[in-house]
Amino acid sequence: MTNTSVDYTAAGVDYSKIDPLKIDAQRAAKETVGNLAHTGFTEIAASRGESAYVVDMGDFLLASITECLGTKVLIADAMRPITGKTYFDSLAQDTLAMAINDIITVGATPISVQAYWAAGSSEWFDDKQRSHDLVQGWKAACDRCQVAWGGGETPSLSGVVNANTIDLAASCIGVVRPRERLTIADKLQAGDAIVMLASSGIHANGVSLARKIAADSTEGYKAKLSDGRLYGDALLDPTVLYSPVTEALFAAGIIPHYCANITGHGWRKVMRHPGSFTYRFTDIGSVPPVLAYLQRAARMTDAEAYGTFNMGAGFALYVAAGDAAKTVEVARRTGVHAWIAGSVETGPKSVVIEPIGVTFTDADMHLRA
Amino acid sequence: MTNTSVDYTAAGVDYSKIDPLKIDAQRAAKETVGNLAHTGFTEIAASRGESAYVVDMGDFLLASITECLGTKVLIADAMRPITGKTYFDSLAQDTLAMAINDIITVGATPISVQAYWAAGSSEWFDDKQRSHDLVQGWKAACDRCQVAWGGGETPSLSGVVNANTIDLAASCIGVVRPRERLTIADKLQAGDAIVMLASSGIHANGVSLARKIAADSTEGYKAKLSDGRLYGDALLDPTVLYSPVTEALFAAGIIPHYCANITGHGWRKVMRHPGSFTYRFTDIGSVPPVLAYLQRAARMTDAEAYGTFNMGAGFALYVAAGDAAKTVEVARRTGVHAWIAGSVETGPKSVVIEPIGVTFTDADMHLRA
């Protein structure tokens, strides 16, 4: 998950309220670059604005990241009495996806992960079914992404974490190898195609709003979606893991020019690249029933919905136009639905979603300090 | 911090209550080793029992770890109204020390860190003085350890983390270079000397008991120690960072045979090595006033105290006997007090602390599943 809070009014965000803590921390962090001097390694400075930190180790580049899942665990706690499922196998996948889907955006192959499971009490882990689901789900996601699970921390933080829940996070290390796979900011160009990879549902952003909708409605999490499923059960569909796609792309000879993990800010994330381009969409794919329900229940305009949720697209690959069709095919062969959604043009920094008549401009985007 | 909960009765621990969740997770994690095959890298299998996970990358070994601080933050929250200090610069150092002091035990040079600061509400970060102290303290600790601060996560986990507090953790990457610096389990031998590095106080283990003592006494955190300081203020002295010592040792031509970070389990941690040795102590150094107060207030025997707290020794270096004096000198030159505390002998796995007549046996130690 990212740091952004969910907002009913996705449009007209006041970008002067950039998080002062983040600015303070980013500034201080940047000042530590000299600490690498004794190692002989150098950092890829541009990675400080990207999703993963990259250090040049000579033979390859080393990427690292730590990401938390966030409050999706609270939905699982609410749903278990309803369906009997613990959902912690799914939440394990969500947590790993937060780290892995971010680290691959810089062109890294994920190598190993560490688990961070901080419960609110030592009793939390006594629930054998739930703990076992968490372990098995974590392992299964590691296997899907071909990463080694190196270890982790499973503390009981009574008084810090709420008694009946758990703070889940993952740290991940990856390698960018060969170095040509590095996607920082220098390859994106007008004429590139935008291939979207389908999401499974809400993934892990917009969760506070999803919980509020349940709290404010009479059927709550038991509301029926257009496909007959329960709202809460569909909310807990795990985040799609996208590293099998990026690895398959490289094996097929395709190196994306840029990537964006669609997490907070919805489709506004599409323009996270520091440069100035217009991103024009002509095919928006289909919206998962759970997100269609959410938009309706929250009475959000398309601009608000597409500026908050992924609306069916969990990851954006910006590839050379000639690679677009093959990119779609490669992704689908790994089991991830994909489609050519639009293209990158010269123009003012903006996201233009033609089928719904929505445009996001630079003023709507303040992810970089 | 480690996963162990603080226990008044440090002796007679029932080692059959080994944490089933940890066993389940360790077993599942071990099964993912094959996932590295496609990378060409191999893991150092023995590192799975150690404090950091180590992968062989060819030119060097890569170590990684994620560690949390734990509940020490709650003491800071209580002390601020008393002294006006936020203490979050100290807590930043504590958090980094958890990761760095563990990663160096395998012989790694720490390279970069990521911050994980999960607050219970977005308002937590609005406290400018506290947030700034956290940032500055983090940076200062990075500078002290010559690591790059690569980034991090600063989410607001309302409903997961308690509203007025924060879950602090750090992930760290390090390199073991040259490979000969790897201290896993194969170098320790009878005849080696044990050099202890002084602690600053409680560091971060035994905190629950320390808080209980404050809650159960009339003066609480305002109790006066033997040196006139307030109990709560002394509790918040930050954990000593030991990587400057291990780096200086290598520069001086000394490679320890083994290391132990004295965290949970007090001096029982001294026998964490998987082999069977007797660790005999003749010089226990001096006990920080805050720990002397704690032992008295909790009415703990020496066995209980030395089996719970660091009692003045935060890190153990096992070096060739001929290197002992120089090890002490090198440590002191970095600003860390050190002394030759004892030696490693052939014998049953045990810790014998002669000056206080305390012996811990293998039955008292269950850190490995």
Side-chain angles (χ1 to χ4, degrees):
Chain A
M1 64 165 281
T2 64
N3 302 332
T4 55
S5 57
V6 171
D7 186 8
Y8 262 92
T9 56
V13 172
D14 180 358
Y15 65 87
S16 65
K17 283 186 69 182
I18 291 172
D19 188 345
L21 180 272
K22 279 178 68 177
I23 296 179
D24 198 17
Q26 286 171 2
R27 191 171 293 153
K30 207 174 261 197
E31 290 169 12
T32 65
V33 60
N35 294 340
L36 278 180
H38 70 104
T39 66
F41 304 135
T42 53
E43 69 174 37
I44 303 293
S47 73
R48 284 187 179 272
E50 296 295 324
S51 299
Y53 180 58
V54 185
V55 175
D56 190 338
M57 313 284 267
D59 277 351
F60 51 80
L61 309 179
L62 188 75
S64 60
I65 189 170
T66 299
E67 284 283 333
C68 74
L69 170 58
T71 55
K72 197 173 181 181
V73 293
L74 300 175
I75 299 179
D77 294 340
M79 282 303 294
R80 188 179 187 186
I82 298 173
T83 62
K85 294 192 272 185
T86 74
Y87 295 98
F88 271 80
D89 44 355
S90 296
L91 293 174
Q93 177 170 327
D94 281 308
T95 310
L96 278 158
M98 295 303 105
I100 286 176
N101 292 347
D102 260 359
I103 211 174
I104 63 177
T105 64
V106 298
T109 298
I111 298 293
S112 69
V113 296
Q114 298 259 350
Y116 180 66
W117 305 341
S121 72
S122 44
E123 283 71 49
W124 194 94
F125 293 114
D126 288 348
D127 184 323
K128 298 254 175 301
Q129 185 61 56
R130 180 171 61 186
S131 295
H132 187 67
D133 287 348
L134 177 59
V135 169
Q136 289 306 310
W138 197 273
K139 177 180 182 298
C142 287
D143 290 343
R144 167 79 171 148
C145 296
Q146 289 287 284
V147 296
W149 178 1
E153 259 268 83
T154 56
S156 302
L157 303 188
S158 174
V160 173
V161 175
N162 278 330
N164 300 314
T165 191
I166 188 165
D167 182 7
L168 298 178
S171 49
C172 180
I173 294 174
V175 291
V176 180
R177 190 182 49 163
R179 313 164 69 86
E180 289 65 40
R181 285 189 68 174
L182 182 66
T183 46
I184 288 289
D186 52 343
K187 296 191 182 101
L188 187 65
Q189 49 192 294
D192 283 348
I194 308 173
V195 172
M196 289 302 228
L197 304 181
S199 71
S200 63
I202 196 172
H203 283 189
N205 286 86
V207 166
S208 298
L209 183 48
R211 292 173 52 221
K212 190 182 193 325
I213 290 301
D216 291 352
S217 72
T218 31
E219 318 119 306
Y221 287 117
K222 293 186 198 169
K224 284 276 178 68
L225 304 180
S226 59
D227 61 359
R229 294 184 63 194
L230 298 185
Y231 172 53
D233 189 70
L235 279 176
L236 289 160
D237 285 344
T239 306
V240 177
L241 294 159
Y242 295 116
S243 63
V245 177
T246 48
E247 288 307 291
L249 281 176
F250 180 69
I254 295 173
I255 293 179
H257 289 174
Y258 197 63
C259 302
N261 186 16
I262 310 301
T263 51
H265 288 113
W267 287 43
R268 291 181 283 166
K269 197 85 177 288
V270 166
M271 57 175 166
R272 88 179 300 285
H273 188 283
S276 186
F277 296 99
T278 294
Y279 306 85
R280 184 174 303 276
F281 288 93
T282 51
D283 181 348
I284 58 173
S286 54
V287 181
V290 69
L291 295 177
Y293 171 84
L294 245 176
Q295 176 177 1
R296 247 189 343 268
R299 289 194 290 282
M300 298 169 96
T301 63
D302 281 343
E304 290 166 340
Y306 278 77
T308 304
F309 303 112
N310 67 64
M311 299 310 278
F315 201 88
L317 292 157
Y318 308 74
V319 297
D323 285 336
K326 192 168 175 195
T327 296
V328 169
E329 187 199 328
V330 167
R332 290 183 183 181
R333 263 195 269 119
T334 73
V336 177
H337 178 61
W339 71 97
I340 301 173
S343 57
V344 182
E345 304 175 348
T346 316
K349 188 179 179 105
S350 54
V351 176
V352 179
I353 313 176
E354 287 184 347
I356 55 174
V358 168
T359 296
F360 296 120
T361 66
D362 192 16
D364 301 318
M365 188 68 178
H366 59 79
L367 274 188
R368 291 173 196 280
Chain B
M1 64 167 282
T2 63
N3 302 333
T4 55
S5 58
V6 173
D7 186 8
Y8 261 92
T9 55
V13 172
D14 180 359
Y15 66 87
S16 66
K17 284 186 67 185
I18 291 172
D19 187 346
L21 180 272
K22 279 177 69 177
I23 295 179
D24 197 18
Q26 285 170 1
R27 190 172 293 154
K30 207 175 261 198
E31 290 170 12
T32 65
V33 61
N35 294 341
L36 278 180
H38 70 105
T39 66
F41 304 135
T42 53
E43 69 175 38
I44 304 294
S47 72
R48 285 189 177 273
E50 296 297 321
S51 300
Y53 179 59
V54 185
V55 175
D56 190 338
M57 313 285 267
D59 278 350
F60 51 80
L61 310 179
L62 188 76
S64 61
I65 189 170
T66 299
E67 284 282 333
C68 74
L69 171 57
T71 55
K72 196 173 181 181
V73 293
L74 301 175
I75 300 178
D77 294 339
M79 283 303 295
R80 189 179 186 187
I82 297 173
T83 63
K85 295 192 271 187
T86 74
Y87 295 98
F88 270 80
D89 43 356
S90 296
L91 293 173
Q93 178 170 324
D94 281 307
T95 310
L96 279 158
M98 295 302 107
I100 288 176
N101 291 348
D102 260 358
I103 211 173
I104 62 176
T105 63
V106 297
T109 297
I111 297 294
S112 69
V113 296
Q114 298 259 349
Y116 181 66
W117 305 341
S121 73
S122 44
E123 283 70 49
W124 195 94
F125 294 114
D126 289 346
D127 184 323
K128 298 254 177 301
Q129 186 60 55
R130 182 172 57 186
S131 295
H132 187 66
D133 287 349
L134 176 58
V135 168
Q136 289 307 309
W138 197 272
K139 177 180 181 298
C142 287
D143 289 343
R144 167 78 171 147
C145 296
Q146 289 288 283
V147 297
W149 179 1
E153 259 268 81
T154 56
S156 303
L157 303 188
S158 175
V160 173
V161 174
N162 278 330
N164 300 314
T165 192
I166 189 164
D167 182 8
L168 298 178
S171 50
C172 180
I173 295 173
V175 291
V176 181
R177 191 180 49 162
R179 313 164 71 84
E180 289 65 41
R181 284 190 68 175
L182 181 66
T183 46
I184 288 288
D186 52 342
K187 296 194 184 98
L188 186 64
Q189 50 192 290
D192 283 347
I194 307 173
V195 171
M196 290 302 228
L197 304 181
S199 71
S200 63
I202 197 173
H203 283 189
N205 286 85
V207 166
S208 299
L209 183 48
R211 291 173 53 222
K212 191 181 193 324
I213 291 300
D216 292 350
S217 73
T218 31
E219 318 119 303
Y221 287 118
K222 294 187 198 169
K224 284 277 178 66
L225 305 179
S226 59
D227 60 0
R229 293 184 64 194
L230 297 185
Y231 172 52
D233 190 69
L235 280 175
L236 290 161
D237 285 342
T239 306
V240 178
L241 295 159
Y242 294 116
S243 63
V245 177
T246 48
E247 289 306 291
L249 280 177
F250 180 70
I254 295 173
I255 293 178
H257 290 176
Y258 197 64
C259 301
N261 186 16
I262 309 302
T263 51
H265 289 111
W267 286 44
R268 291 182 283 166
K269 196 87 178 285
V270 165
M271 58 177 166
R272 88 178 302 283
H273 188 284
S276 185
F277 296 99
T278 295
Y279 306 84
R280 183 174 304 277
F281 289 92
T282 51
D283 182 348
I284 58 174
S286 52
V287 180
V290 68
L291 294 177
Y293 172 84
L294 245 175
Q295 177 179 0
R296 248 189 345 268
R299 289 194 291 281
M300 298 169 95
T301 63
D302 282 342
E304 291 166 339
Y306 279 76
T308 306
F309 303 112
N310 67 63
M311 300 310 278
F315 201 88
L317 292 157
Y318 307 75
V319 297
D323 286 336
K326 192 167 175 196
T327 296
V328 168
E329 185 199 328
V330 167
R332 291 184 181 179
R333 262 193 270 121
T334 73
V336 177
H337 178 60
W339 71 96
I340 301 173
S343 57
V344 181
E345 304 175 348
T346 317
K349 189 180 180 105
S350 55
V351 176
V352 180
I353 313 176
E354 289 185 346
I356 53 174
V358 167
T359 296
F360 297 120
T361 67
D362 192 18
D364 301 317
M365 189 65 177
H366 58 79
L367 274 188
R368 289 172 198 280

